Amino acid sequence: GTTVTLNGTPTVVNSCSDGSTYNATTGCANNAHVMTLLTVRTKATFSPLIHVAGLPNTFNLYGYAQEQVLGL
């Protein structure tokens, strides 16, 4: 049958809206907002139900998503 295995690991990076250095304890200086960048990379291994001669039995499919969120 068709098999899809999905693997993904999100990463989160914080920065300050004014370009200053973010500190995990104190946040941002000068009333700057914390900006969070969430990135997810995925890899799916696809094994089609029908195999065609000359093509591999499985295919790797890759995905990438990134979202920036302005903290309060």
Side-chain angles (χ1 to χ4, degrees):
T2 301
T3 303
V4 176
T5 304
L6 185 63
N7 299 309
T9 304
T11 57
V12 177
V13 176
N14 291 315
S15 61
C16 297
S17 60
D18 66 354
S20 63
T21 303
Y22 170 77
N23 182 300
T25 305
T26 60
C28 296
N30 304 322
N31 294 323
H33 294 284
V34 176
M35 298 177 69
T36 302
L37 185 63
L38 173 66
T39 304
V40 177
R41 296 176 189 270
T42 58
K43 175 186 172 189
T45 302
F46 176 68
S47 178
L49 183 61
I50 299 172
H51 298 286
V52 178
L55 294 179
N57 290 335
T58 60
F59 298 89
N60 290 325
L61 308 172
Y62 297 91
Y64 176 85
Q66 194 171 58
E67 183 70 28
Q68 187 170 8
V69 180
L70 178 62
L72 299 176

